[in-house]
Amino acid sequence: MVGANNIASKNVQAKLVILGDMGTGKTSMILRFVKGQFFDFQESTIGAAFFTQVVSINNTTVKFDIWDTAGQERYHSLAPMYYRAAAAAIVVYDINTMSSFQKAKKWIEELQRQGNPDTIMVLVANKADMITKREVDPEEAKQYAKENGLKYFETSAKTAQNIQELFYEIATEVAQAAPSPSMPSGMKLQSETQERRKKLFCCNT
Ligand code: GDP
Ligand code: MG
């Protein structure tokens, strides 16, 4: 489809995985984004759960297939199945629990070692509404994110702070990274990169 501004529109399907310690608010963040809901007593996720949501950015429609993983160690071996083909990975910690920040760093290391180099990675500090109990220094987290080339967001699934912004930022990056149908052949990415990206950002026009 070609719009009035002569730029072809894109439809991108992107797999998104959310990782992090149990209780950090992964399911709550997704429910806030997908359904606009929040529960003070959110049931823990067993194995993994699946959600979808569509976001429109300029001339691109991004359909997220979201895999919500369980944070418990006994489900750890399932994680590669979700992150290996993920266009984006959100790694969440709870600003009130230092151990969840340590765990987030472990996830980042695992993604850097075993994940796909094209996966967009975001570090998310959740429960920002509970600021009085903060254990993790935001400056330290920001510094860590910077050193590792990650985007960093402070969110609250409870108050909805930065939740839309987080997913829209990811959608924007996904839209930019997806091969464009209108790209002249001379401008095409090197074939190897192109092939790798096609697997992550499957495109139909
Ligand atoms: P998950 O195990 O990472 O999926 O975490 P859940 O989404 O199940 O949330 C664990 C608990 O933290 C639940 O009681 C939620 O209500 C609560 N929670 C999640 N996000 C927030 C938040 O941003 N602020 C506050 N105050 N509580 C939250
Ligand atoms: Mg959960």
Side-chain angles (χ1 to χ4, degrees), residues 35-49:
K35 299 188 174 167
Q37 295 174 335
F38 178 81
F39 302 100
D40 278 314
F41 301 97
Q42 178 61 47
E43 276 177 43
S44 16
T45 311
I46 297 166

Side-chain angles (χ1 to χ4, degrees), residues 20-26 44 71-72 92-94 97 100 126-127:
D21 230 350
M22 184 189 164
T24 51
K26 300 180 294 300
S44 16
Q72 293 100 313
V92 187
Y93 68 92
D94 171 353
T97 318
S100 75
N126 191 40
K127 306 199 187 181

Side-chain angles (χ1 to χ4, degrees), residues 55-62 168-169 171-172 175:
V55 170
S56 287
I57 301 281
N58 300 326
N59 60 327
T60 306
T61 304
V62 179
Y168 272 77
E169 174 61 30
T172 304

